[in-house]
Amino acid sequence: MQRINKNVVLALLTLTSSVFLLFQLYYYKYYLSPKNGAVFSKVKGSQSGQDGIQWHVIKKFLGLVSSHNVPVYLIDPLVLGLIQKDFEQLSSSSDGMSPECKYLCAPRDFTTFALLDKTWKHEVSLVRAAEKMGFRWLKIQNKDPRLEGMDDLSGIEIPLHYIFKLAAHAIHLVVFYERSGNYVWHGPLRLKQNIDRKFVPFRKLHFGRYPGAYNKPEVLQLSIDDLKVQIPKNLSQFLEEMSHSRFLECRYREARAFFQLYPDDASLDAVEFRKKAKALLHLAALTLNNLGVRFWLSSGTCLGWYRQCNTIPYSKDVDLGVFIQDYKSDIIPAFQKAGLPLKHKFGKVEDSLELSFQGEDDVKLDIFFFYEDDDHIWNGGTQAKSGKKFKYLFPKFTLCWTEFVELKVHVPCETLRYVEANYGKDWKVPVKVWDWKSSPSNVQYNGMWPVDEWDDVIQVY
């Protein structure tokens, strides 16, 4: 057996040590150096060095976007929830100096910021600068839903989410777009096949599980843990919006297929009705929103949105639903003040309430109030001449946002179940002759109103 040359062993050890030392120097220079703003020692008052990582990554990211004049604002619900508790103190403090890192050092894997698309047009220079600062980054894009109704433009992709990762912390940058209904929208986060699914814990991200819709934000700047940060001006409103922000896009592809089978009515009467229905819906939305009353597209108006992305021209009315717990006595006076006289009032708050207002010409607005039982939700109907009561049963549902006739409105999230309950499995086939007492699939006879209550529960004007 040959003897091992000690000089060779020594040389190999020396070489290995040198390579390891060079690697450490390289890593320190490009990832942990003070120049790059990522010295991950303990931040004042933090619990551990890991907490300091978050603060320094955020500081570095804010410095990056500031140097490129990219206005971002904080939308991370965990951090905003902490800020909300001390909002008055933070907003009244001139410098926001704190003896401890209380907000941005809260344990989490990522921090979420928002960006309005129209405020940023220089992606390439920013991501190149991010790379030089040690960030790894990822862009998620998908089809622009605003163009889906246009055959020649549908399929164009837009950036929806960016993720900037440094060390053990990531920044999730959500891109918001203005929509024609005077609101902002963000898209879903859908990973394509070539994306590294271990880049960040995607399932933990607060935004991207589904599209979301929000009111246009107003922001203010606060000093949070010694960093200047933009946040939504009305924190409680934003956090409430976030919990009910899910957005459903109109089904443009299915609508085009529908019109292939049943060509759209382009007559003057149909065009005029749709114009009046749109104006009536906008006025109704403004009135109910000012009262703080939640509502959604119901009955034929909901069917029109789901089936053909438009109002049904032969329906001759606009239908809305309201949960009875959201009823307010100011509703009737508010609509009358808006120029919509009461046409009829059927039922009462405790049972089968229904309001109808007269719009322009023969177009009317019907508001149906919904009641919840153990396993279903229902609204009532009343035949004025006989006092007969009817009941329309629906499976329980939640509310999502959508855009309809350039308006941000609610629809049932479980739209197909809702439509099928009302119109049956053949809802795709237009039916121009409709009897509200017998045609709906979910209608039930519900007895009679006592004659001595007729003056209160059957009011026709």
Side-chain angles (χ1 to χ4, degrees), residues 236-253:
S236 59
Q237 177 181 308
F238 178 82
L239 292 171
E240 174 65 21
E241 278 191 276
M242 183 181 171
S243 63
H244 302 94
S245 63
R246 186 179 176 186
F247 183 91
L248 297 180
E249 204 66 60
C250 178
R251 305 173 340 128
Y252 293 107
R253 182 185 302 174

Side-chain angles (χ1 to χ4, degrees), residues 205-413:
L205 297 178
H206 298 298
F207 292 79
R209 187 172 292 110
Y210 43 72
Y214 293 78
N215 293 327
K216 287 185 177 180
E218 288 186 65
V219 299
L220 61 86
Q221 180 174 280
L222 290 181
S223 183
I224 309 295
D225 295 331
D226 297 345
L227 296 179
K228 299 294 184 182
V229 182
Q230 299 270 3
I231 67 170
K233 189 174 183 180
N234 191 329
L235 281 181
S236 59
Q237 177 181 308
F238 178 82
L239 292 171
E240 174 65 21
E241 278 191 276
M242 183 181 171
S243 63
H244 302 94
S245 63
R246 186 179 176 186
F247 183 91
L248 297 180
E249 204 66 60
C250 178
R251 305 173 340 128
Y252 293 107
R253 182 185 302 174
E254 289 81 359
R256 286 194 289 268
F258 173 80
F259 286 125
Q260 289 291 325
L261 293 173
Y262 308 99
D264 196 15
D265 185 352
S267 66
L268 181 61
D269 286 345
V271 171
E272 282 297 308
F273 167 75
R274 281 178 167 155
K275 179 180 177 181
K276 294 172 184 176
K278 176 181 177 180
L280 181 58
L281 181 56
H282 277 247
L283 181 57
L286 178 63
T287 305
L288 291 172
N289 287 336
N290 286 340
L291 292 173
V293 175
R294 289 182 304 165
F295 69 94
W296 65 90
L297 304 183
S298 190
S299 302
T301 306
C302 183
L303 175 63
W305 167 78
Y306 189 69
R307 187 175 68 187
Q308 54 211 71
C309 297
N310 210 333
T311 49
I312 300 174
Y314 53 82
S315 61
K316 302 304 179 186
D317 58 15
V318 172
D319 302 310
L320 301 180
V322 174
F323 290 119
I324 193 62
Q325 59 265 33
D326 293 328
Y327 170 80
K328 293 184 179 180
S329 59
D330 298 335
I331 290 178
I332 294 175
F335 275 102
Q336 290 174 328
K337 186 177 180 180
L340 300 177
L342 185 63
K343 183 177 175 66
H344 71 242
K345 176 186 176 184
F346 294 153
K348 52 187 177 180
V349 173
E350 297 78 16
D351 182 11
S352 304
L353 183 63
E354 172 191 339
L355 302 176
S356 183
F357 298 92
Q358 186 62 57
E360 185 179 353
D361 296 333
D362 58 343
V363 182
K364 63 186 179 75
L365 170 70
D366 291 329
I367 301 179
F368 303 101
F369 290 86
F370 282 66
Y371 301 76
E372 185 172 355
D373 283 346
D374 291 338
D375 58 351
H376 64 272
I377 293 175
W378 63 276
N379 73 283
T382 296
Q383 186 178 37
K385 64 180 182 181
S386 67
K388 290 181 179 179
K389 297 169 61 180
F390 298 87
K391 195 174 188 179
Y392 305 85
L393 275 60
F394 294 85
K396 289 189 175 184
F397 57 88
T398 53
L399 294 179
C400 286
W401 291 110
T402 193
E403 183 178 319
F404 184 62
V405 294
E406 299 181 353
L407 188 66
K408 175 191 168 204
V409 291
H410 277 125
V411 291
C413 298

